[in-house]
Amino acid sequence: MTLAIDSNDPAIRAHAEAYRQASSAKRRQALIGIAVFIACVLLSARGAEVDLAKFFENIHRFPKYIYETLPTLRLSSLGADLAEWYWGLKGWLKLLWQTVLIAYVGTILGVAGAFLFCFAAAANLGRATWLRFVVRRYLEFCRTVPEIVFALIFVIAFGLGPLPGVLAIAIHTMGALGKLFSEVVENIDLKPVDGVTAAGGSWWQIVRFAVVPQVLSNFASYALLRFEINVRGASIMGFVGAGGIGQDLIEAIRKFYFTDVSAILLLIIVAVMLIDYATERLRHALLSLEHGR
């Protein structure tokens, strides 16, 4: 059974007109938003001195450089060509392992610092306002300064080697995870907190028995994700002498050892892919345990 609609009905016409006006208003808002976005992009490009003519004039150099880094591999002498390409494999693997260790130790230290500070930075645990303000600003400072800048400062202070890289990654990780951890804490169920408070528990007991059990799996998931990021970050720490495979990579780039560049980059890519895959599986396993699946 169908209902006949009288298009001449004043009520129907009023609704149709209201719908048309609302649709027109949304279209105008969308067009205005697009225009504002384009204007902001153009102004930003002008402020950043983006020269499109220069970009298109020199864009061919990028694929040319990539092509020059590729080795010559012939099927008749594939083994010898691969051996020549990866002539420094033993040393590169040692530096790559050092890079992974720099990222690992830096992540562990950063996670520990973020864990200690995140509860004071959370707004729902009732700490002093001034303390929360100070902790949040400190975490902002730690994650705002780039890792490479921290590494350069620590190289000047402690000399060349892995230590500056570890410290740089630890500080930046603490700032980044401190914010994420505090947001996780702010989204917990407050019923266990009220229960421990009603039982006369101290602030530390509230954190230990009511907060940590709720957030631990998310903390571990974020820490694993950060470890993936830190492996990539540790790969360039050698640019300023802070240890790892980045030191050989920047040397190869500066001296135009083209095939060495591609060999080292391929090692880094494979290592990061394997670590990403392993940590992704661990994160999914932790989330599955949390949700009882």
Side-chain angles (χ1 to χ4, degrees), residues 15-229:
H15 282 297
E17 180 65 20
Y19 176 78
R20 186 188 65 79
Q21 292 179 357
S23 299
S24 299
K26 285 188 175 181
R27 282 195 295 270
R28 285 195 302 271
Q29 291 175 357
L31 291 174
I32 292 172
I34 293 172
V36 170
F37 174 76
I38 293 175
C40 290
V41 170
L42 293 176
L43 289 173
S44 300
R46 183 178 179 84
E49 299 182 0
V50 175
D51 190 343
L52 291 178
K54 187 175 182 179
F55 173 77
F56 288 111
E57 180 184 351
N58 297 281
I59 192 172
H60 68 280
R61 295 183 179 179
F62 175 71
K64 180 175 180 292
Y65 183 85
I66 297 298
Y67 177 76
E68 289 177 345
T69 63
L70 298 178
T72 301
L73 299 177
R74 296 174 294 268
L75 189 60
S76 59
S77 58
L78 184 61
D81 292 339
L82 288 175
E84 182 181 358
W85 187 23
Y86 278 94
W87 64 271
L89 181 61
K90 185 176 181 181
W92 292 338
L93 287 177
K94 182 178 179 181
L95 290 173
L96 184 61
W97 178 241
Q98 186 182 79
T99 298
V100 174
L101 292 180
I102 290 172
Y104 177 75
V105 177
T107 302
I108 293 296
L109 295 177
V111 168
F115 184 84
L116 294 175
F117 283 111
C118 70
F119 302 108
N124 60 339
L125 292 184
R127 299 297 288 175
T129 303
W130 67 267
L131 178 61
R132 184 165 62 250
F133 177 84
V134 170
V135 171
R136 287 186 174 183
R137 300 297 80 77
Y138 172 70
L139 294 176
E140 286 175 3
F141 168 77
C142 290
R143 67 175 175 269
T144 299
V145 179
E147 297 165 325
I148 199 73
V149 175
F150 277 130
L152 184 59
I153 294 172
F154 289 132
V155 164
I156 296 173
F158 301 106
L160 302 175
L163 179 60
V166 170
L167 295 176
I169 288 178
I171 292 176
H172 198 273
T173 298
M174 180 172 59
L177 288 184
K179 177 178 175 59
L180 294 175
F181 286 2
S182 65
E183 290 178 351
V184 172
V185 172
E186 289 175 349
N187 287 288
I188 63 171
D189 184 3
L190 291 178
K191 291 180 181 178
V193 175
D194 295 337
V196 176
T197 303
S202 65
W203 187 85
W204 291 107
Q205 289 173 328
I206 291 172
V207 170
R208 168 64 182 85
F209 296 106
V211 179
V212 171
Q214 296 188 62
V215 301
L216 200 56
S217 60
N218 280 331
F219 281 12
S221 178
Y222 280 131
L224 289 171
L225 178 61
R226 189 68 201 183
F227 175 58
E228 299 175 16
I229 298 171

